[in-house]
Amino acid sequence: MAANLVHGKNVDIRMWTRPDEVEEFAMQQLQNISALPWAVKHIAVMPDVHYGKGATVGSVIALRDAVSPAAVGVDIGCGMAAVRTSLTASDLPETLRGLRSRMEAVVPVGFGQHKATAFTERDASDWGAFWRRFDDLTPAVKARADKAMHQMGTLGGGNHFLEVCLDTDQRVWVMLHSGSRGIGNELAQHHISVARTLAHNAELPDPDLAVFLAGTPEMAAYRHDLYWAQDYARHNRAVMLRLVCDVLRAEFPHIAFEEPISCHHNYVAEETHFGEDVLVTRKGAIRAGRGELGIIPGSMGTGSYIVRGLGNPDSFESASHGAGRRMSRNKARKTFTAQDLAAQTSGVECRKDSGVVDEIPGAYKDIDAVMANQSDLVEIVAKLKQVVCIKG
């Protein structure tokens, strides 16, 4: 679909959804973002847009010589990874409970962490240099080094997940969603707090939109910590993917894996758009440059998409990061029961208890409608349907 144009305060807002379908609080946030004096061209709003802290989830913001940490989100580098295997549906056992248990045994979920560090040279070649960079992070997280090491290769909770999926050709995929874990959250919270104290942010319509400005020590400190946390998130997904693939190798000795796909959807990138060098924040959005592969997940009972970007300049070469919530977690818990969850995840080997009712498919937007709204942003490469879903 063509983007809908809404007039903003400093720049306009281009929306890949109908404005009347966006909740009132999220629309107010978008107006607040559009008032930022550093904003370039317009704000790009993805079809899965919904209310978030400071900035809406599903917003792409290009700023000139500035960056807002709340427009990145508190889970810096959160994103997706997926790999297609040589297995087909017929290779899988009739019951998948055992496979799910073996996967859960190697990837801690929720607040869990590894008893011994899980990362190896098979996952990345720069571990020494990567962990030495920890010493230069803000002193506020210096005591967290051991925790950060033991959380490397862990899933977390909330909307993070680990899945075994089938595509329409019945090929087996592994897919997961996670970010920079506790250390990324602490870094984000620290820098959001610092930004709120800076004098140039005093007149902003929302204190949570506070920015750092180029050429300042605060900006330099944030970008250093931010890029490290984005690397942490990428490595975290790589470690988990390898752990799960090792489970599959033990189960199916002749299995082969294609090149993995990986993408952030809460991050900052230095890019050029409309002839200007800008800092782009994608909060709940993936990069969708022409020919680039990406992953757009649905909910735990509906399925997901592998996509190829079309490089649409009006979206700052971006696309949605998923289906997006249509109701808050609290409302979902009040609306649905564990029985509803079991019905909506029929055929999926997963938790079906009250502890994950807030992740029920009914709490999310229709992923197919979201995809239809961004047909000018990405083309579909594969549609996946989960048969195993692990949540914290």
Side-chain angles (χ1 to χ4, degrees):
M1 64 172 283
N4 291 295
L5 184 65
V6 175
H7 292 301
K9 297 178 180 179
N10 180 44
V11 295
D12 287 335
I13 303 166
R14 289 189 177 272
M15 310 183 70
W16 274 262
T17 188
R18 285 171 43 189
D20 61 359
E21 293 181 349
V22 179
E23 60 202 297
E24 181 181 353
F25 288 137
M27 187 60 80
Q28 183 56 57
Q29 280 190 325
L30 292 170
Q31 286 291 344
N32 289 342
I33 296 168
S34 76
L36 292 175
W38 308 277
V40 172
K41 197 66 175 178
H42 56 261
I43 308 302
V45 180
M46 302 296 100
D48 60 341
V49 62
H50 57 280
Y51 181 78
K53 180 178 174 61
T56 47
V57 179
S59 56
V60 183
I61 308 164
L63 297 182
R64 180 186 300 108
D65 296 328
V67 67
S68 170
V72 180
V74 294
D75 191 357
I76 299 171
C78 186
M80 302 289 303
V83 64
R84 190 167 80 152
T85 79
S86 60
L87 301 178
T88 64
S90 61
D91 295 314
L92 298 176
E94 186 173 339
T95 175
L96 296 169
R97 182 159 297 181
L99 181 59
R100 173 188 160 198
S101 296
R102 287 186 284 280
M103 292 165 61
E104 289 174 330
V106 299
V107 176
V109 301
F111 294 104
Q113 58 187 44
H114 290 282
K115 293 180 180 178
T117 55
F119 54 89
T120 72
E121 293 298 317
R122 294 172 60 197
D123 310 310
S125 59
D126 64 339
W127 289 117
F130 173 76
W131 290 115
R132 283 194 296 273
R133 286 165 58 200
F134 186 95
D135 295 336
D136 296 324
L137 298 178
T138 174
V141 301
K142 286 299 178 61
R144 302 297 190 181
D146 186 71
K147 180 180 178 182
M149 286 186 171
H150 287 82
Q151 280 195 323
M152 176 64 74
T154 66
L155 189 65
N159 62 355
H160 293 171
F161 63 78
L162 169 59
E163 293 181 341
V164 176
C165 306
L166 300 177
D167 64 21
T168 52
D169 294 327
Q170 298 299 289
R171 288 282 290 273
V172 175
W173 291 66
V174 176
M175 184 169 67
L176 59 88
H177 172 209
S178 191
S180 52
R181 306 296 287 110
I183 188 65
N185 185 292
E186 289 192 39
L187 287 169
Q189 298 285 8
H190 167 77
H191 287 289
I192 289 172
S193 297
V194 171
R196 289 172 62 116
T197 68
L198 301 177
H200 61 259
N201 292 315
E203 302 302 320
L204 294 180
D206 182 349
D208 282 329
L209 279 177
V211 305
F212 295 119
L213 299 180
T216 65
E218 292 87 0
M219 170 71 103
Y222 176 62
R223 290 175 71 175
H224 174 273
D225 292 359
L226 169 87
Y227 294 146
W228 182 88
Q230 290 178 181
D231 284 346
Y232 184 104
R234 178 171 51 84
H235 285 332
N236 184 46
R237 291 190 291 272
V239 173
M240 281 189 285
L241 203 60
R242 189 262 305 165
L243 290 169
V244 174
C245 288
D246 282 350
V247 169
L248 293 177
R249 286 188 181 95
E251 191 90 2
F252 309 99
H254 301 297
I255 192 173
F257 299 93
E258 297 185 0
E259 188 69 22
I261 303 166
S262 181
C263 60
H264 292 318
H265 55 224
N266 283 11
Y267 74 113
V268 175
E270 302 172 26
E271 297 178 358
T272 302
H273 293 279
F274 300 101
E276 188 165 357
D277 294 336
V278 291
L279 287 167
V280 177
T281 57
R282 294 184 175 94
K283 182 177 182 178
I286 63 170
R287 180 170 166 81
R290 182 166 293 279
E292 295 177 354
L293 291 175
I295 307 164
I296 302 178
S299 61
M300 63 188 290
T302 57
S304 304
Y305 287 91
I306 306 298
V307 299
R308 183 178 291 109
L310 297 177
N312 189 316
D314 285 338
S315 71
F316 299 105
E317 301 187 10
S318 308
S320 79
H321 83 313
R325 297 194 72 91
R326 70 179 184 91
M327 65 175 65
S328 69
R329 294 187 181 278
N330 284 337
K331 184 176 180 181
R333 294 186 190 104
K334 294 175 181 177
T335 304
F336 298 106
T337 65
Q339 289 73 27
D340 296 325
L341 177 64
Q344 293 186 28
T345 58
S346 177
V348 181
E349 174 56 47
C350 64
R351 287 181 62 182
K352 301 178 190 286
D353 58 86
S354 60
V356 290
V357 164
D358 56 335
E359 282 294 299
I360 191 170
Y364 282 84
K365 297 179 182 179
D366 180 349
I367 182 62
D368 292 321
V370 167
M371 295 304 298
N373 282 352
Q374 57 184 341
S375 59
D376 60 336
L377 305 184
V378 293
E379 60 181 358
I380 295 170
V381 174
K383 183 174 183 179
L384 312 183
K385 178 66 174 71
Q386 64 271 77
V387 291
V388 176
C389 179
I390 294 170
K391 280 192 172 285

